[in-house]
Structures are given as C-alpha cells and as structure tokens.
C-alpha cells in the first residue's frame, strides 16, 4: 500500500482525493486544508483520511507522495517542502503565477531528484492520447498544423479573474502544453490578439475574454488557438490536427445520447458541462500514473519542466498582445 | 438523337420531361396531357416539345421510346399501346392498382418483346446503389436482415388517399421492391399490422397511416418495414442492412449544411423536403438508363415484372392486415 | 446507515456491490456466493463486506435489504426467503425462466408486502428517462409507434445460450419491458419471426439469433423490435419513438470522442462495448432508487409485476414464432 | 428575354453559361473564347449560343449583360470595355492580380455607372446566407469572432500556382470577403503566418500552402482563418461564427448519405469534391441575382468594390507574412 496525502479539499482536491482513495494500491492517509468546511470534513469521512497540519505529512516517513491541489499561491512553497522531504509530488498547475518563481522552483525540484507529475490532465485523456499515438506511430503521417478550441461555458467571477493570472496563464496554458506535446518540438514565435468582448467585469479586471493565438514551431509548423471565456452552448474543448494522411479530431462529448427531431430539425444535447466532468477519466488515469511513478519509477506524461515551458508561451503571448507584435522565443537560454 | 415522348405533365411528368430534354442525346419531341394547364404549356416551351394527342406519338416512327407519367388509371392502356407500337417504355409505377390487370399487362408486354423500365427510382439513387454494390460484391458479408423507414412529411389529402390504392400499394411498394432487390431472392411470408393513428381523414377513407410489415424471405432472412404517413420533421427515408461484416445505412439527406448551437444544444436541419428533391439524382440516372436501354439494349435496374412482384407483396400485406395472420406466398405459381 | 447484503459475486453482482458500498448512506454488510473465487474475495476486501452463508443474512435484523444478483435458478427461492424475512429486495431479472413459477412467486411476494425493485436497469438510464419524461409530460405529443434495436456485440457461448431461456426471455425481455413502460398500457397482440442466421452453435442449442417482433397495444399503437445476437460494430442499443410533435431517439454512446478523416471519409468510434459500460449510470441510479425505496418508501420504476408482464410477452413471442401466427393476449386474466 | 454573352468556356465559364441558358428569362446569345476546343463547341451546341469575337458582343445593342469568366489577365480590359459599352457585368474575381490595376478599374467602373456583380459566389450559398441572416436579424446575438477553414483537396499544379498571384490572392480572397461580409465592418489589423509544408513544387514556385491569418476588425472583433492547399479527405470548407446567443456553423456537405459500420467504427462519406460541386446552388443563385440586377436594378450581394477591399486584405497578408509583423490598414484613404 502506497500512502498519500492531499493538500486542498476544494473542487479539484476532492477529485484527486476520491481517485486516490479508490485506487486499489493506495491508502489516502491525510487531507490538509486550513479552512474548516463541511465538504472538507465530508471528504475525510468518505476517504477514511485524517485531517492534519502540513507538518504531520512531511514528517511521516510512510507517506511517499503528496498531491498539491491547494490554492495556486501555496504551490511553490509546498513543492519545495516536498522536495526537501523527498516525497514524490503530483502538483496542480501552475507552479506559480510569477514566472521567475516557476523558473526557480523548477530548478530546485529538478536538483532535489524527487519525481514530479504536473497536472496537465489533458495529456491523460483517452481521446487526446489516441490522437497523439496516431501521430507518434506515424500512422497519421506528418503533423502539419493544429487548430484548438477552448471555450469556457461562461465567464468566471471577477474575483477569480483577478487572482487567475489572466486568461493566457489560467486557461490557455493547457493549450500551450498540448501544442508542445503534439508537435514534439518547441515554439519559436507567438502571436496573440486578444480583447474583452463578452464580459465588462473581465475588462474591468484588466483581463481579456477572447483571444486568437498563432504559434509557429521551430521547424515552421503552426498551431492555431481559439480561446474564449464563453460558448453559448457550454464547454467547448476541441482539437484538430492536420497530418499528411489523416485529420484527427477530438470532439466535444455530449451529455446525453438523445436526439429530438421536430419541424425545426434535429436537436442534440449540450456537451459535458465543464472540465471536471469532461476529464473525469483523465483525472483517474493521472492518479494511476502518479502511483505508477512512485511504484515503478515510470515517467509521467507531464513533468514540472513542461509547466515551465507552457508558461513561457503564456508570458510570450501576454507580451505579444500588449505590444501588438509577434514574440520570438529563444531556445538557447534555459533556466 | 433519340426521340421521346412524355405522357403526363404533372409533378413527376415535369421531372422526366426536363431530364429527357437535358439529356445530350435525346430530343423530347412530344408532350401528351389532355388537361390544359399553365404548367403543361410552360413545360412544352422549356423543353421545346410539341403538345399532341396520343395517336401522333404512336404513329410517329421516329419516336423510339415513351415515358408514361400520366395518372395511374391510364398506365395499363398506354403500356399496351406502346407494346403494340413497338416502342420502348419508361413507366411510372404502378402498372395498375388492380393486381389481375398488372398480371395481364405484364404478360402481354413481356410477350411483345418491347424493352420496359419501371419507375422504381430508388434503385437508381447513388446511396442505395452503393449499399447494393457493397452487398453484391461480398464486401459487406452475408446480408442477414434489413430495416427500412419510410415516413411521409405529412398525410396526403383525402382525395389522393381515396385513389391511391391504399398505403401498401402506393407508398410501401417502393420498400417491397427494395427488399427484393437487396435480398436477391423472393419473399415467402408477409405479416402486416396497420392502423390509422394520425389522420382521421385517412381512417374515413378506409386507409391506414401507420404500419409495421415483416417479410421473411424464402431462405429465412428478414426485412422489417416501418411505414408511416407522417414524420414531425419531414420526409424520413432510411435503410439499414445488417450483414455479417458491416452494417450499411442509407441516411436522410439534410436540406442545409448548417448547425446552430445554443444553450439547449446543437440543432441541425430538416431533411430534403420530399421524394422529388431527395431523389433528383435518381430520376436523372433513371433517364440515362432509359436512353441507354434504347441505345445499347442494356437491362434496366427495374423491369415490369419487378412491379408485379412488389405489388404481389402489397396485396399479401393487405390480406395479412385484414385477417391478422401472416400470408404465405407461393412461388410455384407464376402469371 | 442502511445495511445491505448482496447475493452473487459475478459480473452484475460486482456492479451492485460496488455501487452499494459507494452509496453514502449504505453499509454493505454481507456478500453471499457459494463458489470460492479470487474475484469474490477481492470484492469483499474492496467493499469491506463479510462473506457469509444465506442464513446469516436472513437472520440479521439489521439487514433491511438484499440484492439478488446470483444465478437465475436461485432467484425465486431467495425472493421467497426475503419475503418471509421481511427484507426489501432488489432482484435481477428474471424471477424464473419458468413462467408459472414467476406467477407464483410474484403473487407470494406481493402478498408478503415487502418492497421489491426489479432490475430493469434501462428504466433508470438518463437517456431513456429523458425520452419517457418528454412523452409523459405531453411535450412530445401523442406516442404513436416505437422502434427498438437491441443487438449484442457477439453471440454468447453455447453453454450460456442453453441456460438462458432463449433470446426472447434473456435479451428481448428488456425491450418488452421498455415497450410497456413507454406506452403506458398493455400489449394485445405479439407477432414474432425468428431464425438462426448467424451462429450455428445457437441453432444447435435450439435457439435463435435474429428476430423481428411486432407488438400491438390494447389501443392499437405499435412497437417494432429488432433483436439480434450480433452487430459487426459492437453493442447496438437504440430506440426511436414517433410522437405527434417529435421523434425521440436514444442513440448509441460512442467509446471515444475522436473522429479520423482520410481519403476514404470520416471515421468515428465504436459504441461502448456492452451493457455493463453502457448502463453504468443506470446501475448507480438503480442502487440509489433501491436505497430510497427502503428509506423513504418511494416506488421503484420497475417492480416484480413488471417482470411478470414482460415475461408474459416473451412467452407469447415464443408461441408466435413456433406457430407462425400472432398471439393475442387476454388482459382479463391476472395471476 | 434578357440577352447575355459569356467570355470564357473553361470550367467556370461552362457553369455560368449553362446556368444562364437554363434561366427562364435569359437568352444566352454569344460565347466568346479565342481558343478552339471541343468543350467550347459542345457548350455552344448545348446552350444554343453563337461563338463570336468580343467586338460582336460589345456592338450588339440587344446584349444587356456580359459574364466575364475568361482568364484573369483579361478581366480588367473586358470590364473597361463593358463599362464603355454600358453593359451590366458579372465578373469572376479577381479584377486583376495587380492591386493598383484593381484600384484603377474599380474607380472607372464605378464612374461609368454600369451595374457590376463580382463573383464571390459564397455569398450566394444558401448555408452561408442562412448564417448571415441569423446574424443580421439579431437572432444569433452579437457576432464576436469567426473561425474559417478553407482547405483544397490537393495542391494545384505548379503552372497554376505560378499564375495564381499566390494563395492569399487566389484562395484566401474568398475568406477575406466573407470576413468583411459577416462582420459588416472593415478590418484594421492583418497578421499572417504562412509556410510551404506540403508540396515542394509550391515552395519552388515561391508560394505557400499553409497559412494562419488573424484579422482584427475596426471595433476589435476577430476572424481566424485556417488556409491550406490540401486536406487528406478532400475539400474542407467550413465556418464557425461565435455570437452571444448562438454559435453558427457551416459544415462540409457529404457526397453520399451512406454510413458503413464495422468492427473499426462508423464510416461516412468524404465531402463534395470541390467548389464547382459544393457551390452549384450558389452559382445558380448568382446567375438569378445577375438577371435580377439587370431586370429590376436590385443590388448584388457583392460588387466590384468588395473585390477591391478583399484584395486589400490579401495584399496586407502578404506584407505581414514577409515582414513577420501585423499590418495595420488605414481606412482613411480610399482609391
């Protein structure tokens, strides 16, 4: 039995805690969340885990891995403590909203030698995995360009927006990661055009809700991102990869398998409501990968450096949007 | 140039006249329709054809083929005159609503030696042809059962129903034909359950608007027909053939390639409005086949005997529905 | 906490045991399975349940409900014991393959006054529920006819077929149930045509693998069933309900949300592999309904009499197929 | 009867000549094509038109309109001659590959007062029209961004590429036009990234085969274009318009309404092969609009100035791609 602890009993913390507890070779020993709440206590009962202070976790030699799902501003500190304590980490992205902190923590975590899985869950989704296998195996032919749609069901509240680091660091970060993952190479040029067209609250918070981002890879291939804080029909999460033999599509997954036809036409269901539902399988697979990483030393699909590289693209996109010019990324320099 | 004449300037007569006139090796010489009407005269102008009496057509030695698209009660007589005059015939189904007349005319036409194409246009539709090729070539594997949906957009007016011969002879006849065509063998047992559930006018006319018909072939394979005089969304014309390797589907063809998504889901277009639109390609292909039959002696996909055999199934279905028992069809006897 | 016991640790027993154990207000106390096996023991560990003899369950006053998921031949006896012990029952269908036993047990269970939920899980599936709500609420208009497809991914092994009671009692029983459920009235006439077209082993076992079944309801509406022991693409489980305002479709649920396009066209995924996957949500909802029935006295969507009535249709279908004639069902007589 | 002449008997000339000849109130009097060919002569026979020199057309006072479907390098000269002769013009795009010529000819044609329809046929396609109506009527809500895919079935031959003016002027021009048409305002910023990833012949010709183009409108809304000279499955012509209430999609139109299912999944047909097939309805509607423009003075959906404005965007895209920087378009200056 592998003994684990979860930091954070919020929405994503609950997902990870329940997946950990349901894993046949895991004992979820601790839940750490400083804020008393009904859902925190209920989670402890459901998972038979003990509520405790962070010190208890890091001092317990039987705990071999920690899951960091607490608020973003705690990630860096917890990562460094885990590194010092020699515990494997499953960390939700981002490491920090401050890029220099990301660089610093990444460097220290890598030096510490601990194993670290970064929560780019989309890499674990069976649909995205199928696409990638088809590219990597050569079956699809040469990948030439990618088009990605990420649209949230509705704009987040202003208080969330203000702490989010902005749409590029908060939402588009998953697309930046997927771009690198599927291309298998780094990005050379980032052009981002963005605006606040939907929600005046987002504008007031100094953020945008709509963006078109064009990435050109080192070898000259393209990734086009369409990012938005709202789609009238709900969560829009799609990808299209044009290869020389095939075009590969990840489509939205409908909530219901029901079609209704009437005099106006054929009507089918909205997609799964948001990422927690859409990526439920991915989160389960991620937990299995984390356990396998601890147990067998397997490499995770996304590590801490992938977080750094995706965030580098988000930083470039922010600069591009502000200056109105494409940003060229040097790949000579590495932190 | 092949010279042709069309009998009937109604809806289907117009389709055939225009297709004949547009055929590069056809001269549409005559249109025959006893009822003066604007659309008749307009059709003559559009096609550069002459309006005339039937006698003129049958007496003109340059006319090698006639298209019978007049009202059903004239088909038998015109077929027999064409047979006597030695003209190739393209006849709309049915030969007659009276089965003994069908038997008699079929026999006489066959003896006359004239070539005859019967207007089961669905055999000429590219989608249905693709399905059949896939079965005949063996690629789909052994055909085991077929499910067919035929639903009209809305019930026909009572006056039409009263002269139609009833839903089995008028509408389901195309499905009976397709069943035989795809199976490549005859039907041994017909069970039909029908009722008037939709339109009180149809009930008043002594007809039905909904029927489930099960056909068992001589070798024990099945065809299930679902026939109806209305679908809320319009014309429903589908087929599904379960074979040992593949299931083959002919689907409805949407009117528009537009999808609209909103908070209620995804909305796509109604199908093409009715058979004239849905089978426009098939009618064109039928005319080409008719010309090729005259020109090169090629065999049409459907001949006059196919009309007789399909109608035999309609007659059996009527008996089955009235008696509540399946009807066994003897294939020893042939007219 | 409601304390429950599960009889049977096979495939469906595992589903129910895990759902019971995951239910927040249930303690799964006992698992009963006379056959020692690794999966039985593993299930006990996973669910923290105790393996025991039937006597222990029925003698334990804290156990308020039992889940009968053992082999079909044990259902009747366990139902009667539960009735005597006054325990609520969640019983997998069928009560017995012998119809007179079903009649007898149903009568005794009803007299005993225990609450009983019968495992027609499809009634609990969110897609089928949505269809039914749309009919019951009147939104879809008047239901006129239903077409159902049930095709297994591949023929079951001969040993299964021989003990199954035949395709009508084993597989089509769910469709008979859904027919009654959606129509909201009883069936008056059953016509069944069946044959063994796919698997010689099924023929050798005296069973069929393909059937077309037409049901006519007391008020003259229709249900068309298409049942088969194989579909080349996997599990085919669909329904189409034609109502006066809408046609309602339950469609297959694809395994993957991936589409691949190449020079041959667009290729999408096979459906979920079989009923355990397809109806995972329904099984969970069923367990919640069982708990709610015990806790709050709510009526289950399917009770023991629904099992009897569905089986009556299966018996009629068998007679119809053997005699070649439709069977009329009297609704004056009730066991 | 309106008397018309067609210049050019090539692929698109044939489409227009046949549509003109089939129009009930048109007499196609002349076809002008200096190159003798079988298809030119066959077109004359099919349409009952006379082959003649350009002089004959412009000197014939009965000819009220001319259709310019000859090679691109003849457009400007023919337009000016038509302007001098006072004939209405239906001109295929572009007016010229040289932008200053476009500016000059547009100015002269506008001063001449002749009516001019420019061949942006996509504006006449019923699917694109439906989308636009939904935006203009306000039903879809406020348009916020557009994503367009235009991918040819396969790269054109090098000789075509060399005379085409490049992918932006030749192919993407239709998307530039559609962007302006749907937005209902002008474009302020153009960013284009392009490369030759597919066909070395295109690279050798100095052109590109893949491009991502981002347009920012004067009011700050976005249009994202994905343009490519190949899609593995054939012609890819789609649009997606995100509005505040609805997302509107124009989808590809499949060639066949056939689906085939096997152990690998569900397989549907490739799209209509290329623009001639895909936009057949649009070309017919365009001819009707041309006739209506002559007959009733109605305004065409696209005029000569729309050609100039679309081409201005193509020119800006070329500069953007070459310099690697977005290009800002001034709307103060007008030719």
């Amino acid at each position: 039995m592998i003994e684990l602890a979860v930091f954070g009993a919020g929405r994503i913390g609950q997902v990870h805690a329940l997946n950990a507890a349901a894993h046949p070779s895991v004992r979820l020993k601790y839940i750490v969340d400083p804020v008393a709440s009904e859902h925190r206590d209920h989670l402890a009962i459901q998972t038979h885990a003990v509520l405790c202070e962070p010190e208890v976790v890091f001092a317990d030699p039987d705990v071999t891995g920690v899951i960091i799902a607490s608020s973003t501003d705690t990630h860096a500190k917890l990562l460094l403590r885990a590194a010092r304590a020699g515990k494997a980490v499953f960390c939700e992205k981002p490491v920090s909203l401050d890029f220099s902190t990301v660089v610093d923590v990444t460097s220290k975590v890598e030096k510490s030698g601990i194993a670290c899985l970064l929560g780019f869950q989309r890499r674990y989704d069976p649909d995205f995995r199928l696409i990638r296998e088809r590219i990597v195996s050569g079956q699809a032919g040469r990948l030439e360009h990618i088009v990605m749609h990420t649209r949230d069901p509705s704009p987040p509240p202003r208080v969330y927006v203000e702490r989010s680091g902005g749409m590029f660091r908060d939402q588009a970060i998953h697309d930046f990661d997927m771009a690198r993952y599927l291309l298998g190479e780094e990005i050379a040029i980032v052009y981002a055009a963005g605006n606040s067209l939907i929600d005046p609250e987002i504008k007031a918070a100094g953020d945008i809700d709509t963006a078109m981002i064009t990435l050109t890879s080192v070898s000259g291939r393209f990734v086009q991102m369409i990012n938005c804080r709202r789609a009238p029909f709900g969560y829009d999460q799609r990808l299209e990869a044009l290869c020389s033999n095939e075009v590969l599509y990840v489509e939205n997954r409908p909530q219901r398998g029901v079609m209704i036809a009437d005099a106006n036409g054929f009507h089918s269901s909205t997609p799964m409501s948001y990422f927690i539902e859409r990526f439920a399988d991915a989160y389960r697979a991620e937990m299995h990968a984390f356990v396998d990483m601890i147990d067998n030393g397997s490499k995770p699909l996304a590590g801490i450096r992938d977080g750094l590289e995706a965030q580098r693209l988000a930083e470039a996109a922010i600069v591009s949007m502000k200056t109105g010019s494409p940003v060229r990324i040097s790949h000579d320099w590495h932190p």
Side-chain angles (χ1 to χ4, degrees), chain A:
Chain A
M1 276 304 193
I2 286 175
E3 302 194 352
L4 300 178
V6 166
F7 290 84
R11 194 165 50 166
I12 194 68
Q14 290 171 38
V15 169
H16 293 321
L18 290 168
N19 283 338
H23 193 293
S25 43
V26 165
R27 182 184 162 211
L28 181 67
K29 202 168 185 176
Y30 303 114
I31 292 171
V32 184
D33 194 315
V35 186
S37 72
E38 214 174 310
H39 64 253
R40 185 193 68 170
D41 298 346
H42 183 63
L43 187 65
I45 292 167
Q46 273 186 290
T47 58
H48 301 99
V50 171
L51 291 166
C52 73
E53 295 300 306
E55 292 70 37
V56 179
V57 171
F58 292 112
D60 185 337
D62 293 340
V63 169
T64 48
V66 298
I67 297 149
I68 304 176
S70 43
S71 64
T72 296
D73 56 359
T74 66
H75 291 189
K77 199 170 288 184
L78 289 169
L79 266 165
L80 295 178
R81 283 184 80 170
R84 283 195 299 273
K87 311 230 178 273
V89 179
F90 174 165
C91 185
E92 271 303 310
K93 57 100 232 173
V95 167
S96 166
L97 293 177
D98 175 60
F99 189 59
S100 64
T101 305
V102 176
V103 170
D104 179 55
V105 172
T106 299
S107 162
K108 287 179 176 148
V109 165
E110 288 182 346
K111 274 179 201 143
S112 78
I114 60 162
C116 181
L117 180 156
L118 201 80
F120 284 132
Q121 88 286 359
R122 217 180 285 170
R123 293 195 182 203
Y124 288 96
D125 177 71
D127 292 355
F128 285 88
R129 289 187 84 158
L130 180 57
I131 295 296
R132 184 161 188 271
E133 277 156 29
R134 206 107 179 162
I135 293 169
V136 168
S137 72
Q139 195 165 4
R142 191 164 45 100
L143 174 61
E144 290 161 357
H145 67 263
I146 298 171
V147 182
M148 280 186 273
H149 285 73
T150 295
R151 294 181 182 130
D152 294 330
S154 55
R158 180 161 172 177
V159 55
Y160 177 92
V161 170
E162 282 169 346
R163 292 183 197 162
S164 70
M167 192 169 78
F168 293 157
R169 290 192 193 97
D170 178 58
Q171 184 219 55
I173 192 91
H174 289 280
D175 303 300
F176 289 124
D177 178 61
M178 190 47 63
R180 292 180 62 246
Y181 189 54
L182 292 184
L183 285 171
E185 65 168 335
E186 297 300 336
I187 298 303
I189 306 169
V190 177
Y191 173 75
N195 202 352
S196 176
L197 295 168
I198 292 164
D199 187 356
E201 288 293 305
I202 286 182
K203 191 177 209 132
D207 200 3
I208 55 163
D209 50 34
T210 306
M212 307 288 129
I213 307 171
T214 307
L215 310 179
T216 307
S217 77
V218 168
S219 73
R221 298 181 292 163
F222 300 111
V223 177
Q224 183 59 49
M225 294 163 52
I226 292 109
N227 290 73
C228 196
R229 283 297 193 187
R230 186 192 60 200
F233 57 78
Y235 187 41
D236 192 16
Q237 181 61 83
R238 288 175 291 144
L239 182 142
E240 170 180 346
L242 186 129
C243 306
S244 52
N245 300 335
E246 296 177 344
V247 189
L248 307 166
Y249 304 85
V250 177
E251 304 190 315
N252 286 320
R253 313 215 86 196
Q255 278 191 77
R256 298 266 60 82
V258 165
M259 173 92 86
I260 299 174
D262 60 20
N264 296 314
F266 289 77
H267 314 287
S268 58
S269 144
T270 50
M272 285 176 173
S273 59
Y274 206 15
F275 62 93
I276 297 284
E277 291 73 24
R278 169 63 184 84
F279 290 111
D281 287 348
Y283 289 121
R284 255 191 301 276
E286 226 179 358
M287 187 55 64
H288 278 259
F290 181 52
V291 172
D292 198 62
M293 183 179 88
I294 295 174
D295 238 8
N296 307 314
S298 64
K299 239 179 98 66
L301 296 185
I304 191 164
R305 183 152 293 268
D306 294 305
L308 184 151
E309 293 297 342
Q311 204 154 340
R312 193 199 298 282
L313 300 179
E315 301 300 324
I318 292 167
V319 173
S320 172
M321 184 176 62
K322 287 191 177 154
T323 62
S325 292
V327 170
R328 185 165 285 275
I329 295 175
S330 158
H331 288 282
D332 307 329
W333 171 80
H334 273 296

